[in-house]
Amino acid sequence: MSLRIWVLAATACLTAGLAQAADCKPSPLGARELFLRGSMNGWAARDDYAFQYRCDAYYLNVTVSGRQEFKIADADWSADASIGLGDDGQPALGAKANLQQAFEGEQTMTLAFIAGRPRLSLGPRSFVAAPPKAVTDPLALSLRFDSRAPQHKKPFGAVPAGTELQFMLSALPGVTRATLVLESRRLVGNQEQLDYAPLARIAMQPHKAGQRVQWQARHRFTQPAVYGYHFELEIAGQTYVYQNNRDEIYWTREAGSMGLGLVSEKPADAKRIRRYRQTVYAADFKVPGWARDLVYYYVFPERFRNGDRTNDPQPGRERYQDQGIELHANWTDRPSKPGDGSDAVYNNDFFGGDLAGLIDKLDYIKGLGANAIYLTPIFKAASNHKYDTADYRQVDPAFGTNADFERLCAEAARRGMRVIPDTSLNHVGSDSPYFNRYGNYPAGGAFDKGRLNPVSPYASWFKLDPSQAKPEDQYQGWTGVKDLPEIDKDSPSFRAFAYGDRDSVMKQWLDFGAAGWRMDVAPWVPDDFWREWRTAIKAHRPDALTVAETWFDASKFLLGDMFDSTMNYIFRNAVLDYAAGGDARKLYANIELMREAYPPQAFYALMNLLSTHDQPRALHHLGYIDDGDATKLAVAKQRLKLALLFQMSFPGSPTIYYGDEVGVGGGDDPYNRAPYPWADQGGQPDAALLADFKRLTGLRQRHQVLRRGSIGAPLYLDEHLIVLARQDGKRWALTATNNDTQPRSVTLTLPAGLAHAEFVDALSGERFKARGGQLALTLPALFGRVLTWN
């Protein structure tokens, strides 16, 4: 249901002057700060979406367009400060459903409490926000610290436990005292809980450095963790903090990209300090060496290829929970939507894709340039997406058999390819023998036919509450989704079943040929679970790759005790927004954060995405909305090739979502899960775009420096251009991209040793000669160059 917008009568109260009116009331939620959190900002509590309380209501100026889902909440998602859509279709405190609203550019959102109930309005921009207090003291403004500069901090970036770090803050003479403040960071769940505990306060020692003073401190971090730090300065009796900058990081609760920071007066509330973060990882942390060489092909099996029509789901015989299913006779149909003759349910909508179809197309995938296949879940489940697991030990009959999976892994290995499956150990399907809510399985589930079954062998897997009157309140659904009963991850029985037993689920599929695991919704699973899980996986298969599904800054999962890698949604958003024409200087800060915060062995193995089954496809993001506009489509495809060039020449493991390579578009679910348009099934794959994909994946495969070369700070960065240097021994590559609609020229200052190098454009064959340590380049519009030298 969409949010009803209540038009509040008096808009005059939006002005700052009424803050002094006699009838002003205190904030109904006290000092807690509220944020607009939703699809427009990755659901993060961001400073630029923070409401200001003024006299009688909370106000926020927003610049957002299109229909958005959201809630209003504090930074901790506290139930008594979280506003969603209530059962009556109106905003309500503690409501779990999301609000929805169409936004139209610059507007003001108002939140008032009337008789204790929240009321929202959205109208023309009219609120005058109070500006932040500016620092004017020239000595305070002279403070400088750049966490990526060796003159300010060394060694660079994430470090192994036991490493001593040196911190050096610079200022003009006159600072009375400088203190390095170190804290231990605690992050729980999907960023619901975030806090810092004191670790040490180290008095910094001053040293004369020309016309400035360098304040220095050292500390040795002995335990793997993510730590926070900032600096406190006393100047003329006033206390300041030098802290992380204000850059917003995609999906991440904490602002700040690190690098050069900012000074402010010390806030009364320490939670307002933006900490720099220091990652300290286990000294023995190893990632499988083959991960750097991967190019993933990312498959949603139900929509890739139907290779065996005898196992197609059968309407009338099979069910999705308590209703029937749909099977498309035409492979090229669009996924189900209301109004096309289908029902309004997306997850009961089938096309017949299976493992046989995937095996049939292994040569196609290899020819594309991929050498690994990431599969969304294939285990038995009622839905088309299979995240509602019904049997962890069996391939879904509509996909084939366990023997088919073994054959897939064997055939892939014969072609030099690996297979990495996906599953969730956080929840199962309500329609499963483990739970059995609909009675579609023999009795024995924890919730047989909607009633608690305390003698079920699976009862200990769930948090069940018989004191509740309503059946749907007697168990916990993941994020409130009752179709996905959440597992009690502390259950010894479930842990043994999942990874502890000799024949556990994780080990079974590794023995069948899987090369590792991608694990769903990792932040919702306790850390100690993942630590035990990793130990079991690595003991069984030391070279197995472990990949987490995280969307935000994943540093805490990459310390050597949980995961090797993560699905890199920060990369996805930064690169797509750059390809769409965004300011490279702002967007590349997201990439630099990861280069600094992630252990290098993980950074060089990140699963670098452009499209996924959980977000609109790249072409949609880049401007094509399936409206038949050929001009928009052509431009979107060129922007996609720009994003692909960046992806294929950047460290990590590039990931191609099935169909992107032939021009498949689509917005949110279910349209981002459209079938691959095979020509023999009536589809129209874009052969020219496919050729471009092959050209760029081939470029990566031919040049080891693009797969394994190191990377530092950008060689050049402006609004449109990103120029990066890669080095692998004596081999070098310069990757240069341009997101402007016009060609752009640049003169680069080259690293030492390349003063007179002659580079070859690996795409065009053109040669470029450096002169006196400089190199002049012209970059084509919406594309770039890859220059190699050895």
Side-chain angles (χ1 to χ4, degrees), residues 620-784:
H620 187 92
H621 190 99
L622 295 172
Y624 182 65
I625 56 173
D626 299 332
D627 58 2
D629 188 319
T631 301
K632 285 183 180 178
L633 179 58
V635 173
K637 286 180 178 179
Q638 184 57 50
R639 293 187 184 278
L640 175 58
K641 287 185 279 189
L642 168 62
L644 182 69
L645 174 63
F646 187 97
Q647 181 193 35
M648 290 295 161
S649 59
F650 194 80
S653 304
T655 303
I656 301 170
Y657 185 45
Y658 80 100
D660 270 12
E661 73 273 21
V662 290
V664 175
D668 289 313
D669 178 20
Y671 308 116
N672 55 2
R673 305 175 184 183
Y676 184 105
W678 297 107
D680 64 357
Q681 297 298 313
Q684 295 180 319
D686 184 332
L689 184 60
L690 176 61
D692 285 325
F693 266 73
K694 289 181 176 180
R695 183 168 65 123
L696 293 176
T697 57
L699 177 73
R700 183 179 183 85
Q701 301 295 17
R702 287 194 305 275
H703 295 280
Q704 179 175 298
V705 65
L706 298 181
R707 305 192 311 273
R708 294 182 166 263
S710 63
I711 194 169
L715 199 60
Y716 180 85
L717 184 66
D718 67 18
E719 181 183 0
H720 297 290
L721 306 186
I722 302 174
V723 183
L724 307 172
R726 306 286 308 279
Q727 183 181 12
D728 179 34
K730 294 182 179 180
R731 298 183 180 91
W732 283 83
L734 303 183
T735 68
T737 53
N738 171 26
N739 75 349
D740 197 357
T741 55
Q742 300 295 323
R744 284 192 166 260
S745 297
V746 62
T747 298
L748 305 173
T749 300
L750 297 175
L754 299 179
H756 303 288
E758 184 174 0
F759 293 90
V760 177
D761 187 324
L763 291 169
S764 69
E766 295 177 75
R767 293 184 176 273
F768 296 85
K769 178 72 173 177
R771 302 186 185 281
Q774 293 194 318
L775 182 69
L777 288 178
T778 297
L779 302 180
L782 296 178
F783 202 55

Side-chain angles (χ1 to χ4, degrees), residues 289-308:
W290 49 266
R292 283 194 180 198
D293 294 319
L294 291 185
V295 174
Y296 288 100
Y297 194 68
Y298 172 165
V299 177
F300 191 84
E302 214 283 318
R303 306 289 164 80
F304 180 64
R305 176 75 174 182
N306 189 341
D308 182 0

